[in-house]
Amino acid sequence: MYTIDQIVTATQTNSTAISIACILVWLVGFLQYGSSVYLQLSEKRSAWWFWQHAWYIGHDFTFVMFFQKWFFIIDFWTFKVMWAGCLIFIGIELFTLYNVIKDDGERQEVFGRYKTGKGSISKQEAWVRGLIGYAFGIVLFYTLTVALGDPCCFFLTMSTNFIVAIFPAFLAEERGSRRGHSMWLGIFILAGTINTFCPVTNMWYNLAPCFQEPWYYVLGVIAVIGCINYFRVLASLPKKDYLTASGKKPLW
């Protein structure tokens, strides 16, 4: 693992490279999330599993809770911008949950499968399940950050990019449809994956030596394979032959 002192030293000695790398990570992240939100609004399905959203909001809350580290201990402007970005991501996650619950079809897909007894799941029941799931994600992420000795949660931050490269393909396969998914989203996921694991230029490589080890690049290879699998799955599914709720062609 790494130490806060290593992060401070890196930001002082390699500030330009780290700033550029950090900004790229967050820009691609917003492209991915922007596409996901657009797909959910237009096609009434999210590209991520609910547990992914719970893990992501866990990351964002943990990052925000480390306010003192970003603003007073490390005191590096790029991390302060990233802190603000995580506040925006928290809002996006809550907005995503709201849209899941508002739409009858997606609400049943996400939460209805776990309902015991007859009948569909109500909005109130979905809110309870959704907020409990988000709370579990926050507690789990923060607890693992502490237990692993991940002082700035950068190790687990990397896990969010690994997960998004692997698991959306399985959701598309389960649905048997491209609904809520897109080749454009796949391109943004691939770009984010390459940006995360590419040697020398990625944010993690520049932050600490532990992210320059072979295990990191093995994860990168697996993640790229996951991205390729996402394209494979979408190509095997029927093309979108419907119009969105607004009467427009769906996102490719």
Side-chain angles (χ1 to χ4, degrees):
M1 197 58 75
Y2 60 93
T3 65
I4 291 182
D5 288 341
Q6 286 179 314
I7 302 298
V8 171
T9 300
T11 58
Q12 291 175 345
T13 59
N14 201 18
S15 59
T16 301
I18 291 176
S19 294
I20 294 173
C22 289
I23 290 170
L24 283 175
V25 168
W26 252 244
L27 282 178
V28 176
F30 275 111
L31 284 174
Q32 293 172 354
Y33 260 90
S35 300
S36 176
V37 170
Y38 177 82
L39 286 163
Q40 186 185 37
L41 291 175
S42 62
E43 302 185 21
K44 306 304 179 184
R45 290 294 185 276
S46 174
W48 317 145
W49 299 86
F50 172 73
W51 66 262
Q52 285 184 257
H53 290 291
W55 184 248
Y56 298 152
I57 200 170
H59 164 269
D60 299 333
F61 258 99
T62 300
F63 203 96
V64 167
M65 285 190 289
F66 287 172
F67 175 87
Q68 185 178 10
K69 294 180 181 180
W70 308 131
F71 283 80
F72 298 105
I73 298 176
I74 300 176
D75 193 22
F76 184 52
W77 73 271
T78 309
F79 294 161
K80 298 175 185 179
V81 174
M82 291 164 63
W83 180 89
C86 281
L87 285 178
I88 297 173
F89 278 128
I90 289 171
I92 292 173
E93 292 296 353
L94 293 172
F95 181 68
T96 297
L97 179 60
Y98 165 78
N99 283 297
V100 167
I101 294 171
K102 182 179 69 172
D103 183 77
D104 290 339
E106 190 169 19
R107 184 172 72 251
Q108 299 310 318
E109 178 187 280
V110 174
F111 298 110
R113 69 179 73 189
Y114 306 112
K115 180 178 173 64
T116 56
K118 297 181 179 179
S120 61
I121 191 163
S122 68
K123 291 182 179 180
Q124 182 178 0
E125 290 174 315
W127 271 116
V128 172
R129 290 172 181 268
L131 292 176
I132 289 175
Y134 273 14
F136 179 77
I138 292 168
V139 171
L140 178 62
F141 196 100
Y142 183 82
T143 301
L144 285 174
T145 299
V146 175
L148 292 172
D150 188 2
C152 298
C153 77
F154 284 125
F155 181 83
L156 290 181
T157 293
M158 173 271 297
S159 76
T160 64
N161 291 355
F162 180 81
I163 287 170
V164 80
I166 301 295
F167 291 99
F170 302 137
L171 182 57
E173 280 186 314
E174 180 182 272
R175 287 178 181 155
S177 168
R178 292 191 187 187
R179 187 176 179 184
H181 296 273
S182 164
M183 290 291 190
W184 276 114
L185 176 60
I187 292 171
F188 295 145
I189 292 174
L190 178 61
T193 301
I194 293 172
N195 186 49
T196 298
F197 294 101
C198 185
V200 181
T201 61
N202 78 72
M203 179 183 79
W204 290 266
Y205 181 98
N206 284 281
L207 285 174
C210 68
F211 298 112
Q212 301 170 12
E213 299 293 332
W215 67 265
Y216 190 77
Y217 303 117
V218 170
L219 285 180
V221 170
I222 296 172
V224 170
I225 293 172
C227 294
I228 295 171
N229 185 50
Y230 186 58
F231 290 120
R232 181 196 66 80
V233 169
L234 293 188
S236 70
L237 295 172
K239 293 183 178 180
K240 298 177 181 180
D241 58 356
Y242 52 85
L243 297 178
T244 64
S246 61
K248 298 179 179 180
K249 289 183 178 181
L251 192 66
W252 174 63

